[in-house]
Amino acid sequence: MAKIQIPTPLRQYTNKRESIEIKASTVGDALSGLLAKHPDLRRHLYTEDGKLRAFVNVYLNDEDIRYLQKEATTIKDSDNISIVPSIAGGARQ
Amino acid sequence: MLKIDKSHYEALRCHGEETYPYECCGVLLGTMNGEQRIVTSTARCGNTRDDSPHNRYHIDPRELVRIQREGRERGEDIVGFYHSHPDHPARWSPTDLAEAHWFSCSYVITSVAKGKAEVTNSFELSGSDEADKKFVDEKIEIGELESKPQGRAS
Ligand SMILES: [Zn+2]
């Protein structure tokens, strides 16, 4: 089963679990499986029209899925999917 | 509250002096203990905002994935982030808030004036989602390095 790593701020929606194992063949299936188990995560990952939020990065091992086949990217059992909200800012507007 | 060793505290302030007049950025790793975040290591990151590094920062998520993985192997979680404000106060800006998404984590800001680190403040990102998020001032408790017992075989 592939493993989805949950970042610290989202663990309040996964019963404090830091990773969730999901049987899935694509990244999209894995994320759907995650949301089926932990529905409260949905609004933190997706916009109301069902798109991944712009600041939510999803990595398959060390690759951004935006540069693979996005949610259609196929996965293997040994894969690690990481959900990483972005880190940015600046002193002035 | 953020608990941090003096060595890690000095390291993140030094980082801001080294990158001056550009913003530095990095990750705080450790453990969450209720309302307390205890820092046990820091990781320096590159600032990818080459277009405006004096007043913007961004950490490559690929670097975050690696830092998160290496932390996990040591039993550490990401508990916060730090960055510097070159010639600007150590207060969060509207951009800092708009771009903050790690709830219940600490965002540490150091003002660096003319190359010298001045004030360091920490803010917890509180709230439950993008609509109600806000930064709340938090206390930084600076500890001394815990001295390990010496001269005794265990
Ligand atoms: Zn800032």
Side-chain angles (χ1 to χ4, degrees):
Chain A
M1 293 210 271
K3 207 179 240 185
I4 305 182
Q5 302 294 341
I6 310 296
T8 33
L10 295 180
R11 287 184 201 157
Q12 56 180 305
Y13 308 108
T14 59
N15 304 323
K16 306 229 161 103
R17 303 264 311 270
E18 58 182 73
S19 66
I20 308 286
E21 298 207 323
I22 302 277
K23 187 131 198 71
S25 53
T26 64
V27 172
D29 284 350
L31 292 175
S32 304
L34 173 68
L35 294 182
K37 280 190 183 176
H38 303 286
D40 292 342
L41 274 173
R42 179 177 300 276
R43 69 196 179 98
H44 299 281
L45 302 183
Y46 288 92
T47 59
E48 276 169 28
D49 50 1
K51 290 203 179 68
L52 261 181
R53 289 181 181 275
F55 61 81
V56 174
N57 302 290
V58 177
Y59 271 65
L60 176 61
N61 303 317
D62 284 304
E63 296 299 328
D64 189 334
I65 64 160
R66 289 185 190 99
Y67 303 110
L68 299 170
Q69 286 77 48
K70 305 198 169 78
E71 278 134 302
T73 308
T74 57
I75 54 175
K76 300 187 302 289
D77 269 3
S78 54
D79 280 338
N80 253 292
I81 297 170
S82 301
I83 297 170
V84 234
S86 66
I87 297 297
R92 256 158 272 219
Q93 275 227 293
Chain B
M1 185 176 72
L2 183 69
K3 283 182 84 167
I4 184 167
D5 270 345
K6 193 152 183 58
S7 61
H8 294 126
Y9 179 75
E10 290 305 333
L12 68 87
R13 285 168 55 84
C14 275
H15 192 190
E17 294 184 345
E18 285 173 34
T19 60
Y20 182 88
Y22 299 151
E23 294 197 8
C24 73
C25 48
V27 181
L28 307 175
L29 296 118
T31 54
M32 300 256 191
N33 182 5
E35 290 296 289
Q36 267 187 14
R37 285 163 287 284
I38 302 160
V39 177
T40 49
S41 71
T42 60
R44 288 180 170 214
C45 295
N47 182 357
T48 68
R49 286 300 298 267
D50 296 334
D51 56 320
S52 189
H54 59 290
N55 63 7
R56 284 286 186 275
Y57 79 96
H58 171 260
I59 299 176
D60 184 346
R62 181 198 292 258
E63 214 177 346
L64 273 178
V65 169
R66 177 180 55 77
I67 289 166
Q68 190 171 255
R69 179 174 59 235
E70 290 170 358
R72 197 162 58 233
E73 287 161 2
R74 295 189 300 260
E76 296 174 325
D77 281 322
I78 292 179
V79 298
F81 307 93
Y82 69 86
H83 71 282
S84 62
H85 281 179
D87 299 316
H88 201 75
R91 305 296 308 175
W92 56 270
S93 69
T95 307
D96 285 332
L97 180 61
E99 305 263 18
H101 308 292
W102 288 65
F103 291 94
S104 304
C105 284
S106 295
Y107 283 75
V108 172
I109 301 176
T110 299
S111 58
V112 183
K114 298 194 179 82
K116 190 98 193 70
E118 294 198 320
V119 180
T120 297
N121 288 321
S122 187
F123 309 94
E124 178 192 349
L125 184 64
S126 98
S128 62
D129 61 25
E130 291 298 304
D132 73 357
K133 69 182 180 182
K134 59 178 197 267
F135 274 131
V136 178
D137 292 24
E138 71 171 351
K139 189 173 178 278
I140 303 180
E141 190 183 292
I142 301 161
E144 294 298 329
L145 259 177
E146 270 180 40
S147 52
K148 296 200 176 80
Q150 285 175 5
R152 290 177 60 188
S154 56

